[in-house]
Amino acid sequence: SEGFGNGEIRGGDVYAYGWVQHPVRLKKGLNTFLFRVGRGRQQAKLTTPPSKIFLSTRDALLPDIIAGEKSPKLGAIRIINATSKRITGHRIETQVNGGELSVIDVPDILAFSSRKVPFEIIYKGNESSERLPLNIFLRNSKGKLISQLINEEFKLAVKNNQDKHKVTFISEIDGSVQYYSLVPKSESDTGESALFLSLHGASVEAVSQANAYQKKTWGVLVAPTNRRP
């Protein structure tokens, strides 16, 4: 599925998840839209952006936190640039439950486009039965706050290393953040383990795929997922 807004191509939402948001340059007078639908039904809606540059809650990749692990975890969030200029020098700040602030630079984002960018999470707690609020702030090159997601819009799962959980990583293909789901062994011995790979079908997330399996005593199961833009 794809579309054209005044001749500029935009990718579609092939699984109808409602994740896709594209800035469109409108003009005074007649504006022309053309859609090609490969599966399902066609639906499109024009909305006014909340601001010229903003953080989108759609299709955010939130990592699972492992209690007691001190290393930062990676996530990803989409930034919409609804301006006619490339944005550079921005940064994302994240804070979990009022804890330590993490800062990471944002790659350049072209005019009238969106980009899913990495962010980093620092959590040093040891509790594994909480849902912790995550605050995300976007600042420009001068340090001015231009967008934020606060007040518990996102909550993170805190698990122990024997729970089923998501593992996020930086892709060597394009530098994006991707994830897979992991089902650890039911017994934490140090012997050799089998590795099972389970691939999902259309419209299935790796989390749901992993949850379909019970733990194995003699092996670890990994469920990769469809790549995100």
Side-chain angles (χ1 to χ4, degrees), residues 168-180:
T168 54
F169 62 96
I170 294 290
S171 168
E172 294 183 2
I173 297 174
D174 59 4
S176 64
V177 179
Q178 304 292 332
Y179 89 95
Y180 59 88

Side-chain angles (χ1 to χ4, degrees), residues 55 57 62-63 65 77 91-104 119-122 131-139 145 147-156:
L55 296 163
T57 59
L62 303 180
I65 295 176
I77 192 166
R91 68 176 188 266
I92 283 184
E93 299 176 351
T94 54
Q95 190 175 41
V96 179
N97 202 31
E100 184 176 345
L101 195 70
S102 177
V103 182
I104 192 168
F119 62 81
E120 196 174 64
I121 290 174
I122 298 175
R131 296 283 291 178
L132 297 181
L134 170 66
N135 294 332
I136 306 179
F137 308 95
L138 177 64
R139 297 186 183 274
L145 180 65
S147 183
Q148 61 183 1
L149 296 173
I150 58 173
N151 300 324
E152 302 187 5
E153 290 191 66
F154 290 133
K155 289 188 177 181
L156 300 174

Side-chain angles (χ1 to χ4, degrees), residues 83-138:
T83 75
S84 59
K85 296 181 180 180
R86 175 199 298 256
I87 61 173
T88 62
H90 286 52
R91 68 176 188 266
I92 283 184
E93 299 176 351
T94 54
Q95 190 175 41
V96 179
N97 202 31
E100 184 176 345
L101 195 70
S102 177
V103 182
I104 192 168
D105 293 333
V106 172
D108 292 1
I109 303 177
L110 299 177
F112 292 108
S113 70
S114 66
R115 185 168 184 172
K116 196 168 182 180
V117 302
F119 62 81
E120 196 174 64
I121 290 174
I122 298 175
Y123 176 71
K124 298 183 178 179
N126 295 309
E127 298 296 325
S128 60
S129 59
E130 300 180 52
R131 296 283 291 178
L132 297 181
L134 170 66
N135 294 332
I136 306 179
F137 308 95
L138 177 64

